[in-house]
Structures are given as C-alpha cells and as structure tokens.
Amino acid sequence: MSENKPVHLAVYDTYADWETGHTTAWLARGGYEIRTVGPTPAAVRTIAGVRIQPDEVLDTLRPEDSSLLVLTGADLWDTSDDLAPFARKAREFLEAGVPVAAICGATAGLAKEGLLDDRAHTSAALFYLAATGYRGAERYVDADAVTDGGLVTAGPTEPVALAREVFRLLGVYEGEVLDAWYRLFHDSDPEAYAVLEAAGQ
C-alpha cells in the first residue's frame, strides 16, 4: 500500500477529459491513489459523455487527507458559478499548505476566487482571465505551465506541461528523468524513451 496520501481529482459535468490524463496516470504509477471528488454523490458526465461516479464529496474533503487537489477545465467554469465551491476548496488547500493544480477553465475559477492575484500563474490567455475581473494581470506569465509555491496552473493545450510541473512539485520525477518524460510525451522524442527505460520508468 502506498505511504503517500491520495491525490484528489475534481470531477463535475462537462469535465474536459483530455486535460489531466497524463497527470493522474503517471501519479498512479508513481504510487499515488487517485480519488475522484464530485459536488455531490451523484455521477457526473465529462464533455465526452463518460460517466464518472465520485469516490468522495467535496464538502467532506479535508486538505490534511490529501497530497494534491487537481482541478480540470469544464464548460461550467465559464457558464455558471456551479463550480465556485471547488475554487473555495482550492483556497482551503493552499492555506493549509497542500498543493493545487489547475488547468484551462479551472484557472478562471481560481482567478474569480482571488487566488491568482498574488501568485505567478498562466492560463489560456491573459484576456481570458481578465474577463473575470481579477487583479492579478501583472503576475500573468506567458508559459506552458507555471508553479508558484503550491499552485500549478496551465492552459488548455498543455496537459503534458501540467503533469511535468506536478511531478516536479511532488518529487515523482526529477532532473534528467523528468526532462526525458516531458520530451517523450510532448515532443515524441525517441531518445527520451531510452532515458526512462534506463531509469526503470
């Protein structure tokens, strides 16, 4: 049994299927249990229509029981306030010193919650976050993914970069191995595979 606390993956209707697969799959291979957290006990459906039955409910999730909270993009971030409780939970995690990773629309949710006002961050584009009325524009970084303290942010086209930053933050992969993992899955670099194989990955 893993000695690591679980990683919690937020799931909700219109969840963007493709955005966290690299992160969760390789964290699981690295010894982390992945537990899904929904707004209620009811099943949700991703953008693709895939049905997910949450393992836990957001209201009962405690930072001290987790290694990381992962927030994926979803249409609901932009069309309603239904997912605001997940942004508030992210605040709770960060205040407790437990990391949070957010990609795509989830970054807008964090912006609305004020969590990007004082942290370096990225997203789909600055104008996208500016539409939230947040006050962190000066901290926006035009990069594939950004880590500031315990917060990782990434744009919607950067699921591999999101994973890279999470692995670095949690110490799952480091140095040459982390670089090779990124080159393999982002650049399809065949030489990177040999590095990973030699490292037993």
Side-chain angles (χ1 to χ4, degrees):
M1 188 71 177
S2 170
E3 295 180 3
N4 298 317
K5 294 178 182 178
V7 165
H8 288 89
L9 172 66
V11 295
Y12 22 71
D13 286 332
T14 72
Y15 166 109
D17 303 68
W18 65 93
E19 291 180 343
T20 57
H22 289 89
T23 299
T24 53
W26 290 85
L27 285 176
R29 293 189 70 171
Y32 288 87
E33 177 189 5
I34 308 300
R35 294 188 59 79
T36 54
V37 182
T40 72
V44 300
R45 288 198 179 272
T46 70
I47 288 178
V50 175
R51 183 179 184 276
I52 299 177
Q53 183 67 52
D55 297 312
E56 300 181 30
V57 175
L58 184 67
D59 285 349
T60 61
L61 176 61
R62 305 186 310 165
E64 57 264 38
D65 297 329
S66 184
S67 290
L68 171 75
L69 174 63
V70 181
L71 301 175
T72 191
D75 291 344
L76 286 178
W77 287 113
D78 299 323
T79 59
S80 75
D81 291 325
D82 290 357
L83 301 185
F86 286 91
R88 290 194 290 271
K89 185 64 70 170
R91 175 181 292 281
E92 187 180 330
F93 266 59
L94 292 169
E95 289 178 348
V98 181
V100 173
I103 186 169
C104 190
T107 62
L110 298 188
K112 292 175 187 176
E113 181 64 21
L115 294 174
L116 305 185
D117 290 348
D118 301 313
R119 294 177 172 90
H121 60 275
T122 194
S123 182
L126 178 55
F127 70 81
Y128 172 65
L129 291 185
T132 69
Y134 89 131
R135 297 175 295 185
E138 292 184 356
R139 305 300 305 275
Y140 187 88
V141 181
D142 188 8
D144 56 6
V146 172
T147 300
D148 187 340
L151 178 63
V152 177
T153 52
T157 61
E158 299 295 347
V160 180
L162 177 80
R164 178 197 67 211
E165 294 300 302
V166 167
F167 300 159
R168 180 184 288 124
L169 188 64
L170 296 184
V172 175
Y173 302 125
E174 298 174 321
E176 183 183 46
V177 173
L178 179 62
D179 178 65
W181 184 92
Y182 182 76
R183 287 189 289 112
L184 178 62
F185 287 96
H186 188 266
D187 304 325
S188 300
D189 182 350
E191 294 182 4
Y193 181 79
V195 176
L196 293 175
E197 190 173 48
Q201 302 301 322

